[in-house]
Amino acid sequence: MAETVTEKAPGIAQHPVPGIEVQLGWYTYTIPPLLLEHVRRAFTEGLMDKIAKVEQAGGVMTAGSLDALDAIQQLTLWSIKRNYPEMTLEKVSEILDVGNQWEVQSAIFKLNRFTTRPTQAVAEQAPAPTPAPTNSGATLNVH
């Protein structure tokens, strides 16, 4: 049986932003929350819409899901770059795979209070946000 060896990823910022630890390849990365500017861009650039389409299809990935994969890679880069300044989109594409993509997406969604399927509890706590003209169901829950 092969032994799995993991260690903290190299290149972490001197004062890392707290977040959720996720194993990507051989290393453990700390995924912090997005900056507010990146949250804004995630919605205005349609990244959340692309992810919502896959989630609304029950999480089934098809050839039409390629835009969602690009969106997840971009969100991952924006988040991880806060702690690993040398990270690039190319490097993210080399460490993000089908085995860890959902874990990374879950971490980003949890840290930033994103949801593509509002829950009944959230709907009861606050009025629904006014969607942007291109919003296909993705929301940001702010409590």
Side-chain angles (χ1 to χ4, degrees):
M1 178 186 274
E3 183 178 323
T4 302
V5 177
T6 62
E7 58 184 71
K8 295 286 184 185
I12 192 160
Q14 185 174 8
H15 302 287
V17 179
I20 296 175
E21 289 189 346
V22 177
Q23 183 175 338
L24 302 173
W26 293 103
Y27 298 108
T28 300
Y29 289 85
T30 302
I31 308 286
L34 293 167
L35 293 170
L36 291 178
E37 173 60 15
H38 292 139
V39 171
R40 184 191 63 75
R41 287 179 61 188
F43 284 94
T44 61
E45 294 178 12
L47 300 180
M48 300 307 294
D49 292 339
K50 293 171 184 176
I51 295 167
K53 287 177 186 175
V54 172
E55 295 229 350
Q56 290 166 356
V60 177
M61 299 296 278
T62 65
S65 305
L66 297 179
D67 286 343
L69 295 177
D70 291 341
I72 291 297
Q73 287 180 350
Q74 185 61 60
L75 289 174
T76 302
L77 175 64
W78 285 339
S79 178
I80 207 168
K81 196 169 179 82
R82 295 188 68 198
N83 282 338
Y84 307 89
E86 302 299 320
M87 187 60 67
T88 65
L89 193 55
E90 182 179 350
K91 180 66 175 170
V92 167
S93 71
E94 293 171 359
I95 61 174
L96 200 59
D97 60 37
V98 295
N100 59 33
Q101 178 260 323
W102 291 110
E103 184 178 0
V104 171
Q105 179 179 334
S106 294
I108 291 171
F109 274 45
K110 181 179 180 179
L111 288 164
N112 296 287
R113 299 182 180 203
F114 290 154
T115 180
T116 56
R117 290 178 275 177
T119 63
Q120 184 65 29
V122 170
E124 291 172 358
Q125 290 177 8
T130 304
T134 60
N135 190 329
S136 65
T139 60
L140 169 65
N141 293 325
V142 181
H143 298 282

